[in-house]
Amino acid sequence: MLSEPDIFISYSREDRPIARLFADALGDEGFDVWWDAALHSGETFDEVIERNLRAAKAVVVLWSPRSVASRWVRAEATLADRRGRLAPAIIEACDRPIIFELTHTAELSHWAGDRNDNTWGQFVADLKRLVSENSVAESRIATKTVKATIPAAPEPAPQPSIEVPTPPVSEARAEPLFGGRTSSAFPRFTRQEPDEDDGSDQTQFFSHADSPFNQAEQHVLELLDEGEDADSYAIGPLGVRIGRTAPADVVLLDPRISRTHCEVVFANGEVVVSDLDSTNGTFVDDERIEGTVALPVGSILQVGGIRLVHEVRAPVAAR
């Protein structure tokens, strides 16, 4: 299986020497970097470029008068910006395309490879944060799309009858787990261990019959202050992630909201909310939260200037 790069470098051919400087320096910082110098003989270059562009967790666009005039670089920058993965840097004074003028861009036209340069250090720190955020997002999407099938247990072989009476053996108790959204970067749930006097050490699986989604009630987040026609967002089996841009499940257009701001999920029979290192914080009933806290029915979740109330909709009649 081909590895997915941390960083894709987009640049103009005329700027190849500086692109190599960036690629080498970022590689030394610990990133897995892909740029078109990595193309191999016989590969279809446009297909390979697009595949790595879409797979990269961050796209470093090197702006110069040559790259501004390049349709390839503009297209790559547009796709990266749309997917929340754009990390632009100016390597020579130029007028950037107007749609990118409002995007924060590192001013590195003076940089000649000094790893101790303050602007370079900040650029690397921003890249590490972007790569980390998108790694978590990809892990979450993969968890949602992969459907695991648990095979039925084989029928036990018939046992011969035994004449000598034996005392009855109590059945091992299996506690179902709610195995909702999982992420190695943000572990949410802990495995429920069996009782000390229970000799079973078998893996315990989520039981669909115990899921809160088997019930007719639906947990939702409804926008406040918008009257009777306020939008509401259902909290599904895998929860919802709230942010300013995709791949968030709930996209709220408020500049005070981070791209990936917070996450609302079910855990141990209740709804909980976790702040995802947002810039301006996540609030429950006007209190800024740290880590993961409960979100009771009726409580108000605030992100940026937007408030949502946790409600439970009336049961739906069975059909």
Side-chain angles (χ1 to χ4, degrees):
M1 181 178 179
L2 296 176
S3 61
E4 296 182 348
D6 295 325
I7 294 175
F8 177 102
I9 298 181
S10 175
Y11 69 101
S12 171
R13 288 279 179 170
E14 290 90 336
D15 298 323
R16 192 178 185 85
I18 189 67
R20 181 177 295 278
L21 186 64
F22 270 75
D24 291 344
L26 292 173
D28 291 342
E29 295 287 350
F31 294 107
D32 181 3
V33 180
W34 193 95
W35 63 310
D36 60 11
L39 283 167
H40 300 292
S41 176
E43 290 183 321
T44 306
F45 79 93
D46 55 339
E47 294 179 0
V48 176
I49 289 174
E50 183 174 355
R51 182 170 67 245
N52 283 279
L53 173 65
R54 292 183 180 275
K57 301 172 185 67
V59 177
V60 172
V61 176
L62 304 180
W63 289 124
S64 72
R66 278 83 52 195
S67 62
V68 166
S70 168
R71 294 179 61 189
W72 274 102
V73 175
R74 285 173 175 254
E76 290 165 356
T78 299
L79 178 61
D81 185 50
R82 186 183 305 148
R83 302 180 70 224
R85 306 194 174 200
L86 180 63
I90 294 175
I91 60 172
E92 185 178 333
C94 60
D95 292 325
R96 286 170 287 159
I98 191 169
I99 61 172
F100 299 114
E101 284 292 341
L102 297 179
T103 302
H104 172 70
T105 304
E107 172 53 71
L108 288 168
S109 57
H110 67 284
W111 188 71
D114 181 8
R115 312 295 168 82
N116 296 318
D117 182 88
N118 290 334
T119 306
W120 170 258
Q122 183 59 55
F123 182 59
V124 170
D126 291 343
L127 278 173
K128 288 180 178 179
R129 182 167 55 251
L130 182 60
V131 167
S132 176
E133 288 179 357
N134 286 319
S135 295
V136 173
E138 288 180 358
S139 174
R140 175 174 166 273
I141 292 171
T143 302
K144 291 176 69 175
T145 56
V146 174
K147 297 181 179 179
T149 302
I150 302 174
E155 291 292 332
Q159 299 293 323
S161 59
I162 301 176
E163 296 298 332
V164 179
T166 58
V169 180
S170 61
E171 295 182 355
R173 179 167 56 87
E175 297 289 347
L177 291 182
F178 182 77
R181 184 198 317 274
T182 59
S183 168
S184 59
F186 293 93
R188 300 287 184 232
F189 310 109
T190 57
R191 182 183 182 276
Q192 186 171 349
E193 299 293 342
D195 295 339
E196 292 182 358
D197 60 351
D198 187 346
S200 172
D201 62 353
Q202 297 178 353
T203 302
Q204 300 179 26
F205 298 98
F206 163 63
S207 171
H208 186 67
D210 292 306
S211 169
F213 305 100
N214 263 351
Q215 304 172 11
E217 292 181 339
Q218 174 67 65
H219 291 258
V220 299
L221 296 173
E222 182 170 308
L223 288 172
L224 287 176
D225 309 322
E226 296 204 5
E228 296 181 357
D229 297 328
D231 291 334
S232 61
Y233 308 95
I235 305 173
L238 297 177
V240 292
R241 178 166 290 194
I242 299 172
R244 194 177 72 249
T245 63
D249 303 305
V250 177
V251 176
L252 301 175
L253 302 180
D254 185 322
R256 291 164 290 185
I257 297 175
S258 298
R259 288 183 175 182
T260 51
H261 197 102
C262 67
E263 186 174 47
V264 180
V265 299
F266 279 86
N268 301 322
E270 64 178 352
V271 176
V272 298
V273 58
S274 303
D275 183 78
L276 301 180
D277 295 325
S278 65
T279 300
N280 294 310
T282 300
F283 296 79
V284 173
D285 294 331
D286 297 323
E287 294 288 337
R288 184 165 184 164
I289 70 171
E290 297 290 341
T292 301
V293 302
L295 185 67
V297 175
S299 58
I300 296 175
L301 172 66
Q302 181 169 344
V303 291
I306 296 177
R307 301 192 303 160
L308 305 102
V309 61
H310 175 201
E311 294 186 345
V312 176
R313 292 287 168 85
V316 179
R319 293 190 295 175

